[in-house]
Amino acid sequence: MTRAFDGDRLLVATHNAGKLEEIGALLTPYGVSVVGAAEMNLPEPEETGTTFVENARIKAHAAARATGLPALSDDSGIEIDALDKQPGVYTADWAETETGRDFVMAMTKAHERLLASGASEPWNARFCCTLVLAWPDGHDEVFPGVMEGRFVWPMRGAQGHGYDPVFQPEGYDVTFGEMDRWEKNRISHRADAFEKLVKGCFDA
């Protein structure tokens, strides 16, 4: 049995203002206000996990322990089948440079590795998102979400962020980078995980 969320304030373990706003809007109908990790002056814990769920758990539990509030975190990334599901949990790491994250470099790296692998197109891929809602007593609930699609080249579109310009979701002829952000938010891997979270903990 999933534990229901019965509070009115939720800490979202992210320093990303856009993500905080998106989550806040989704939870408004349930009378829940959200506060971000930056507002609470929380450091970003080191993500030492090797799976999305491990990293999401690290972030959620660290935030819940530090503040005494229930905390929600997510870990997400892209898996490319022909690259043995890489970059996966290292999706952001592939973009790291000395001066910040460079996702054009990361997408180019993925394309070069695909060419080197000799794998033929279509290059099947998926975006994954795991949400973890953790309570200060150590309990947590886990909700995975997935959006199937394929890795395409060249990059297309300037919407979204990260690897969006090279990901074409199943059933669409545009990439996430070309898609209206509200449409993307409606069908994405994060939307899939959120639907499960709301059903499990807020609609109870």
Side-chain angles (χ1 to χ4, degrees):
M1 181 76 181
T2 315
R3 182 188 285 190
F5 182 88
D6 60 1
D8 58 7
R9 195 156 181 248
L10 177 66
L11 172 65
V12 181
T14 181
H15 288 73
N16 180 321
K19 199 180 281 186
L20 182 66
E21 183 191 4
E22 193 183 318
I23 293 169
L26 284 160
L27 295 179
T28 300
Y30 299 94
V32 176
S33 65
V34 299
V35 58
E39 265 178 88
M40 304 291 279
N41 294 315
L42 295 180
E44 294 195 55
E46 207 172 326
E47 297 178 29
T48 53
T50 57
T51 63
F52 295 119
V53 67
E54 284 175 9
N55 281 337
R57 273 194 162 124
I58 287 168
K59 290 183 277 193
H61 284 286
R65 276 196 307 271
T67 62
L69 285 170
L72 179 69
S73 75
D74 84 320
D75 198 52
S76 52
I78 189 170
E79 295 180 342
I80 304 167
D81 287 349
L83 299 181
D84 295 324
K85 299 197 173 175
Q86 291 185 79
V89 290
Y90 306 108
T91 291
D93 295 344
W94 277 29
E96 290 296 352
T97 72
E98 285 176 12
T99 54
R101 288 178 180 170
D102 180 347
F103 281 101
V104 171
M105 177 196 78
M107 290 183 279
T108 305
K109 182 193 294 186
H111 181 239
E112 285 169 353
R113 291 196 183 184
L114 280 164
L115 293 179
S117 76
S120 56
E121 295 185 65
W123 293 315
N124 291 333
R126 72 203 49 79
F127 266 121
C128 302
C129 167
T130 299
L131 289 171
V132 171
L133 177 56
W135 279 262
D137 67 0
H139 180 85
D140 68 34
E141 297 288 351
V142 178
F143 303 95
V146 173
M147 180 76 221
E148 294 288 345
R150 56 197 177 97
F151 183 100
V152 295
W153 197 263
M155 300 172 229
R156 303 195 324 248
Q159 305 289 329
H161 50 82
Y163 293 71
D164 284 355
V166 291
F167 182 77
Q168 185 172 313
E170 208 169 74
Y172 290 80
D173 56 9
V174 293
T175 66
F176 269 176
E178 296 171 299
M179 194 177 277
D180 172 80
R181 97 177 160 113
W182 299 110
E183 174 67 5
K184 178 201 156 184
N185 288 350
R186 191 180 66 77
I187 65 162
S188 73
H189 48 304
R190 193 166 284 117
D192 183 32
F194 258 106
E195 198 178 315
K196 293 168 186 166
L197 165 76
V198 165
K199 236 174 235 168
C201 296
F202 291 89
D203 275 343

